[in-house]
Amino acid sequence: MQQDPRPSPASASARATSRVLVLLAHPDLRHSRVNRRLLSACESARAPLLERGVTLDLRDLYTLYPDYAIDVATEQAAAGRADWIVWMHPIQWYAMPALMKLWLDEVLTVGWAYGRRGGEGRALEGKDLWLVASTGASEASYHPGGYNRHFFDAFLPPYEQTAALCGMRFLPPLVLHGARAATAAELDDHVRVFADRLLTHPHWPELADLATCDACDVPDTDRPAPRQEVDRAS
Ligand SMILES: Cc1cc2nc3c(=O)[nH]c(=O)nc-3n(C[C@H](O)[C@H](O)[C@H](O)COP(=O)(O)O)c2cc1C
């Protein structure tokens, strides 16, 4: 009998050398047009990624934590073992949905995600962070002359600086504007670009000159106080 030349998922998984973590945060996925398609693109990319030696971890935050009770240890373990991380969500009120923000608040702790240079807090250093977002508003509206009054990039510094604080390289985001008005062909194109990026990272032409980011040095005076200190002081 002829052998199937393709690697079996089990043998490919044993050879996997890198890992991508996709964190999806959509509060109402059943009614999603864009992010639901991106989610299935992730599922479809799983096997081809594995053949390239990449394991995909997909964490759908609103399904995992409908009560917002994030399991911090599990999330830190997932983020810590990933080589690169994708944040995938619709833009809500010019920012990330609430549970994605809570993920940052609770998972990116001092001494784990950030801290003193050369000290502890290096868990994410050297990883890439890729934002994949969608907006309801058109690209034209994100303009000084449009009703959103700013270019879309003006809403990105909190993401970029969060990455920098943790020593992560912030990759050029992939954004689909005008999610509801986008044609089926535009949506297909977006999903195709997303899947292609997922499969080809880090060999994207625009990353050739993108420098890595050194983690920022956060002095002790600027860190959150340990809980007991706050309790004693009050
Ligand atoms: C509570 C809420 C706030 C939103 N805020 C914005 C916003 O600030 N800017 C914008 O362009 N779209 C906004 N939208 C539209 C969503 O970004 C858009 O519906 C979504 O990206 C479409 O993706 P989906 O098809 O996966 O749901 C908002 C939607 C909701 C429900």
Side-chain angles (χ1 to χ4, degrees):
M1 201 176 69
Q2 235 187 351
Q3 294 261 306
D4 184 344
R6 287 170 305 180
S8 73
S11 67
S13 145
R15 282 190 293 101
T17 52
S18 73
R19 205 172 262 277
V20 53
L21 169 65
V22 178
L23 293 175
L24 167 68
H26 196 301
D28 185 16
L29 207 52
R30 272 185 318 149
H31 295 107
S32 156
R33 187 164 182 239
V34 181
N35 288 271
R36 203 148 50 105
R37 288 279 309 275
L38 299 176
L39 172 64
S40 4
C42 285
E43 294 296 0
S44 310
R46 221 181 256 289
L49 276 168
L50 211 48
E51 280 172 22
R52 290 162 165 80
V54 183
T55 303
L56 181 140
D57 284 339
L58 176 59
R59 300 187 64 75
D60 169 359
L61 296 182
Y62 278 90
T63 300
L64 285 167
Y65 305 116
D67 50 3
Y68 281 52
I70 293 177
D71 179 340
V72 173
T74 298
E75 294 304 319
Q76 287 185 338
R81 66 175 171 258
D83 295 283
W84 68 296
I85 299 176
V86 182
W87 290 351
M88 191 161 91
H89 64 74
I91 295 294
Q92 295 198 330
W93 287 107
Y94 308 103
M96 59 186 71
L99 187 55
M100 182 83 240
K101 177 60 166 53
L102 190 65
W103 188 96
L104 267 66
D105 291 348
E106 297 196 343
V107 176
L108 303 186
T109 52
V110 64
W112 185 79
Y114 71 100
R116 281 295 232 178
R117 185 170 289 153
E120 82 289 14
R122 308 264 79 88
L124 302 175
E125 192 167 6
K127 301 180 195 288
D128 281 352
L129 178 66
W130 189 34
L131 171 66
V132 177
S134 54
T135 71
S138 65
E139 186 164 15
S141 75
Y142 283 100
H143 186 277
Y147 73 87
N148 280 316
R149 302 178 57 245
H150 302 274
F151 291 112
F152 185 70
D153 283 3
F155 299 98
L156 294 179
Y159 289 90
E160 208 175 341
Q161 179 54 24
T162 298
L165 196 83
C166 302
M168 289 193 281
R169 185 168 73 150
F170 189 64
L171 306 186
L174 178 68
V175 183
L176 180 76
H177 292 293
R180 209 149 72 90
T183 63
E186 284 166 345
L187 192 50
D188 287 349
D189 274 353
H190 179 68
V191 174
R192 207 170 302 122
V193 170
F194 169 72
D196 179 68
R197 291 293 159 109
L198 210 50
L199 290 170
T200 57
H201 172 273
H203 308 292
W204 307 350
E206 64 270 44
L207 299 193
D209 299 324
L210 191 68
T212 53
C213 180
D214 287 338
C216 301
D217 193 17
V218 182
D220 293 344
T221 47
D222 292 0
R223 296 157 157 225
R227 247 161 232 246
Q228 312 91 300
E229 265 182 43
V230 176
D231 292 346
R232 265 203 302 276
S234 58

